Amino acid sequence: MKTTIQIFLVGFFFTSLTFSQTIQWQQLSGPHGGAIYSIVKDNSGNIYANTMWGVGPFKSTDNGESWFSIKNGLTPYSGEFHPLNINSNGDLFIGGAHSTALLCRSTDGGSSWEPLNNLNTNGGSIICISFDGNENVYVGTGKGIYRSTDNGNNWALYGNFTSQADAIAFNDSGHIFAGTSSRVYRSTDDGANWAQLPTGGGTRTVSVAPNGYIFAGCWENGGILRSTDNGDSWTYVYPQTVQIRSSSTILFDENDYTYVPTYGKGVLFSTDFGDSWTELNEGLGYKYLRAITKNNNRYLFTGGDYGIYKMDVYYAFWYSVGLAVSYVKALAVDTLNGFVFASAVGMSRSGDAGTTWETINNGISPRDVGSSEIKNIAINSNGTIFIGYAKNFPSTLVYRSTDNGSNWVLAQTGIQGGEILGLTIDDSGYVYASTDWQGVYKSTNDGDSWFSIGNTTSASGGKLAFNSFGDLFLASWGGGVWKLPHGDTVWVNITGSIYPYVDCIFIGSNDYIYAAKNRSTDNGATWTSLNIPVNNVYSYAENSAGHLFCGTYNYGGGVFRSTDYGDTWEAINSGLPTQDVRCVAVDADDYLYAGPWGYSLYKTTTSTVTSAEDIRFTPANFYLEQNYPNPFNPTTKIKYTVPQDEKRETRNVTLKVYDILGNEIATLVNDYKPAGSYEVEFSGHSDEGQNLTSGVYFYRLQAGSFIETKKMVLLK
């Protein structure tokens, strides 16, 4: 028996169910990132964190749950700032990391900053900032120690210490200790003379405990040293298997507990001033740390190369409260399970459309997490996720997760080295990876093993994409555009007139090919240049209405939108902090995500598809929409538009379903239609009434010379 088809006439005078609307962006809370140099607290419990690489300082007034930038007051002052510290009066001091930067002070919690121009470091970077018991301010620089006795208004070189000072500490007797790359120095006469203490090299961190013990963290030689006799002798209280970064914080809390942030072992914790230690790392995603503080006698905060973590000491578990300042290099939406995945420092995941984020690096080696070079994410129809590393680590190429990113394993057997520059998956669930110099590889068993395909010497290194016919396309930097026709084994160069340095390739739902700033409507036979007013296009995305979005980079123009398959483009950057955007993606609700460089992720405040049922005008073009839901079980709906012809006559329209082999399965529409928009429901049965199995199917709209095909997935 034939399947009953329900057809609904939506309206005779709509061009489509969508129209172009104003796009506004809002920043999401993640993925978390930022290289943290300093974390401090004020007397009210507010937390301040300063980041490296010019991102600037941030403040939290709610115990680290949310953060806002306090860099604006620093904008007039050039350079990058590293050390941040606060005195007992709540005055903040922040120091320039290079000779072009300054020391600045804020007396209002970071709302405004003033340069302390009377400090002249003779070109030395400011490495650390400390305060003695009298609230005198000390800065350690690359060319000595400077002191101010009037809260930073005036400065003088402190004594005759002219070496690089990485850390400065004081004891109750007024003795000062300076950590350096060679050893710890001590002055007992207000800086006039300095004694070399027998610590050995690389003691770049020094701190004095409440009981007078002195601790030195070692970078070059490793380990934690302790002196119980004012620095005259030292012993290792933690072996040289751990390294302590320059200017790292050593925290002594109200219970006289000791916390040391380390580079590689997370937080070391001692309740007996270093006689014994435990690793306080439960929940800590990254163990490469530099700073630590505690507020309200309850919450610990630590940070390092990859963001900020918080712990409630009553529960002894860390969780990320990091800053939204990461550099997102790849972005993917799993419409089946509702997750958004992003690569910044390792991998991050959001299960609530970007509202909250968590790091998901279990199984990824710390080296790979630290490399921040995941530039490809591909998700199979069964939910398996693959990530590819564009980093020349011979032992790391592809990771796989079968549990939505909670755990990862290497899945690269058979790939013969080289960086992974492209990942894609075909309709059969087979996975493809392109390398920078070893060609393209294929896996038919979810990444358990791989084998090379095509004449690999002629096509290497670049993004990959499939069209609905099963042709595989590769875009490479310097090699142009290549095609491997379905069922063939020989790559064909289809670069034509395209500039051969192509960053990205994307296949639209109508099988148009977009390679950087070029488009082909005939499967790569010819190309036309797109009118996008920038030089570098890095990524494309498409919503359910067929609207295109592209992200541009290297002083680009931000994000652009086209509602006519690339004929015209408009910038949609309202609310974006920068116009350098490396990745874009669209979720199941047609919200658009973008990764502005250094600002984690932004998302549109509204869907990019807006109902236009109240806007009446005459259809101008045929249009076939993506079925919804997709994947589906047991039913899905397909919308299409029939334009008005010159004679205002009806047109013969067919809409048919095919299996992956091209066999006709069902006829949904075969009738003459006037201009208008229509909706048809497909119930997953053939015309003979047979239940279809799970898999990929195609539906094709045809009217005269117009033909458009889209694919859909039935999951049971």
Side-chain angles (χ1 to χ4, degrees):
M1 184 177 68
K2 293 285 186 179
T3 301
T4 301
I5 303 299
Q6 297 178 350
I7 301 177
F8 304 95
L9 181 62
V10 180
F12 288 101
F13 303 103
F14 304 152
T15 66
S16 85
L17 295 175
T18 62
F19 66 91
S20 177
Q21 85 274 28
T22 301
I23 295 294
Q24 180 69 35
W25 295 92
Q26 61 181 350
Q27 188 175 27
L28 300 177
S29 63
H32 298 156
I36 307 301
Y37 197 95
S38 307
I39 304 177
V40 298
K41 68 178 181 67
D42 64 19
N43 295 327
S44 300
N46 299 319
I47 307 297
Y48 303 83
N50 192 42
T51 61
M52 301 169 67
W53 319 126
V55 180
F58 289 78
K59 180 178 180 179
S60 175
T61 59
D62 57 2
N63 291 319
E65 293 303 311
S66 63
W67 300 82
F68 56 92
S69 174
I70 53 174
K71 180 184 178 181
N72 289 340
L74 290 170
T75 300
Y77 315 121
S78 62
E80 180 183 342
F81 294 90
H82 278 184
L84 173 73
N85 211 344
I86 190 169
N87 65 16
S88 61
N89 298 320
D91 298 331
L92 289 163
F93 293 81
I94 191 168
H98 307 292
S99 59
T100 57
L102 301 170
L103 180 71
C104 296
R105 177 182 63 197
S106 175
T107 59
D108 55 9
S111 297
S112 61
W113 297 87
E114 59 179 320
L116 303 177
N117 293 317
N118 287 331
L119 174 62
N120 180 6
T121 65
N122 293 314
S125 301
I126 297 175
I127 303 172
C128 65
I129 304 171
S130 298
F131 310 97
D132 65 15
N134 299 316
E135 291 301 327
N136 297 320
V137 190
Y138 297 76
V139 296
T141 76
K143 297 186 177 181
I145 299 174
Y146 293 80
R147 180 175 69 176
S148 172
T149 59
D150 56 6
N151 206 38
N153 294 319
N154 296 282
W155 295 84
L157 185 66
Y158 184 61
N160 63 354
F161 191 92
T162 57
S163 300
Q164 174 173 312
D166 294 278
I168 302 171
F170 310 88
N171 66 10
D172 292 339
S173 300
H175 300 167
I176 182 172
F177 301 86
T180 73
S181 61
S182 59
R183 63 189 66 246
V184 174
Y185 290 80
R186 178 185 64 199
S187 176
T188 59
D189 55 5
D190 202 24
N193 296 282
W194 295 85
Q196 295 184 10
L197 303 181
T199 56
T203 48
R204 295 178 180 267
T205 293
V206 63
S207 189
V208 179
N211 66 352
Y213 290 178
I214 308 167
F215 289 82
C218 305
W219 173 244
E220 284 85 350
N221 293 341
I224 300 174
L225 289 162
R226 184 183 68 184
S227 174
T228 60
D229 55 7
N230 203 39
D232 290 337
S233 61
W234 298 79
T235 57
Y236 279 102
V237 291
Y238 197 92
Q240 293 173 269
T241 56
V242 67
Q243 291 179 294
I244 314 298
R245 299 288 293 271
S246 170
S247 305
S248 293
T249 309
I250 298 179
L251 171 67
F252 306 98
D253 71 4
E254 71 283 354
N255 301 310
D256 288 338
Y257 294 165
T258 308
Y259 304 84
V260 182
T262 73
Y263 190 77
K265 288 189 177 293
V267 176
L268 295 178
F269 170 64
S270 175
T271 60
D272 51 16
F273 291 112
D275 288 338
S276 61
W277 298 88
T278 59
E279 294 184 10
L280 194 64
N281 293 331
E282 187 69 26
L284 192 63
Y286 312 119
K287 298 181 181 180
Y288 299 87
L289 307 172
R290 185 193 293 268
I292 193 167
T293 194
K294 187 179 184 182
N295 77 335
N296 300 329
N297 296 333
R298 179 171 180 176
Y299 299 110
L300 285 166
F301 298 85
T302 188
D305 287 356
Y306 312 127
I308 302 175
Y309 280 77
K310 173 183 175 180
M311 171 186 283
D312 185 332
V313 296
Y314 294 161
Y315 301 101
F317 186 88
W318 296 100
Y319 64 95
S320 176
V321 291
L323 309 173
V325 294
S326 62
Y327 296 84
V328 176
K329 297 182 178 180
L331 182 61
V333 177
D334 182 356
T335 56
L336 180 64
N337 297 303
F339 289 108
V340 181
F341 297 94
S343 72
V345 182
M347 288 293 295
S348 295
R349 175 181 67 192
S350 174
D352 52 13
T355 301
T356 59
W357 291 84
E358 58 181 325
T359 54
I360 49 170
N361 293 319
N362 189 39
I364 303 177
S365 75
R367 180 199 61 185
D368 295 335
V369 171
S371 73
S372 304
E373 288 296 332
I374 303 171
K375 293 185 178 180
N376 298 278
I377 307 172
I379 305 174
N380 214 331
S381 59
N382 62 10
T384 302
I385 311 164
F386 298 86
I387 57 175
Y389 269 83
K391 191 73 173 179
N392 194 20
F393 293 151
S395 60
T396 300
L397 298 168
V398 178
Y399 281 94
R400 177 186 65 201
S401 173
T402 57
D403 55 5
N404 297 313
S406 297
N407 297 279
W408 299 90
V409 295
L410 285 171
Q412 58 193 38
T413 301
I415 302 178
Q416 300 300 313
E419 303 177 8
I420 302 298
L421 301 182
L423 281 175
T424 194
I425 299 173
D426 69 14
D427 290 333
S428 299
Y430 299 157
V431 192
Y432 299 77
S434 71
T435 66
D436 60 342
W437 52 275
Q438 288 284 352
V440 179
Y441 289 81
K442 176 179 178 180
S443 174
T444 59
N445 53 12
D446 253 0
D448 287 339
S449 61
W450 300 77
F451 55 90
S452 62
I453 60 172
N455 49 329
T456 58
T457 57
S458 60
S460 292
K463 301 295 184 181
L464 296 167
F466 275 99
N467 65 11
S468 64
F469 308 110
D471 300 330
L472 178 58
F473 295 84
L474 178 145
S476 64
W477 187 252
V481 182
W482 295 76
K483 178 172 71 174
L484 184 64
H486 178 62
D488 208 335
T489 60
V490 178
W491 288 92
V492 180
N493 191 327
I494 58 171
T495 304
S497 60
I498 293 178
Y499 184 60
Y501 294 87
V502 183
D503 275 312
C504 64
I505 192 162
F506 177 79
I507 312 294
S509 59
N510 59 356
D511 277 327
Y512 287 2
I513 308 169
Y514 301 86
K517 287 182 59 176
N518 307 278
R519 181 186 68 185
S520 175
T521 61
D522 53 10
N523 209 31
T526 60
W527 298 89
T528 58
S529 178
L530 298 175
N531 188 29
I532 304 174
V534 295
N535 291 326
N536 299 291
V537 177
Y538 202 78
S539 60
Y540 281 94
E542 183 182 29
N543 67 14
S544 64
H547 299 169
L548 295 170
F549 305 89
C550 69
T552 65
Y553 76 109
N554 281 0
Y555 309 103
V559 179
F560 291 85
R561 173 179 59 186
S562 174
T563 59
D564 53 13
Y565 305 108
D567 288 341
T568 60
W569 296 84
E570 61 175 328
I572 50 170
N573 295 321
S574 180
L576 287 181
T578 176
Q579 294 185 355
D580 188 350
V581 178
R582 304 299 175 97
C583 52
V584 290
V586 176
D587 67 14
D589 296 318
D590 285 308
Y591 283 83
L592 178 64
Y593 298 76
W597 200 236
Y599 294 90
S600 294
L601 284 179
Y602 275 65
K603 178 184 174 182
T604 55
T605 57
T606 58
S607 172
T608 59
V609 173
T610 304
S611 174
E613 293 180 355
D614 296 327
I615 299 178
R616 304 178 68 86
F617 45 88
T618 304
N621 296 291
F622 281 102
Y623 186 69
L624 178 64
E625 295 195 24
Q626 185 65 47
N627 65 303
Y628 184 83
N630 187 42
F632 68 95
N633 181 26
T635 63
T636 188
K637 293 181 179 181
I638 301 171
K639 297 177 181 179
Y640 64 95
T641 299
V642 177
Q644 182 173 278
D645 69 1
E646 295 179 356
K647 298 181 180 181
R648 298 180 179 271
E649 296 177 347
T650 60
R651 297 173 186 249
N652 185 32
V653 176
T654 62
L655 179 60
K656 297 183 178 183
V657 177
Y658 300 84
D659 64 18
I660 197 170
L661 299 178
N663 299 314
E664 182 178 326
I665 299 298
T667 298
L668 306 184
V669 178
N670 185 8
D671 200 358
Y672 283 88
K673 297 293 181 183
S677 294
Y678 301 84
E679 180 178 277
V680 59
E681 185 174 88
F682 176 52
S683 58
H685 298 88
S686 70
D687 283 343
E688 288 73 28
Q690 295 177 334
N691 291 328
L692 300 182
T693 60
S694 297
V696 175
Y697 295 87
F698 298 91
Y699 57 98
R700 184 177 70 175
L701 179 69
Q702 183 170 358
S705 61
F706 174 83
I707 298 176
E708 184 170 357
T709 303
K710 291 181 181 290
K711 66 181 177 181
M712 57 185 172
V713 179
L714 173 60
L715 287 180
K716 291 187 175 182

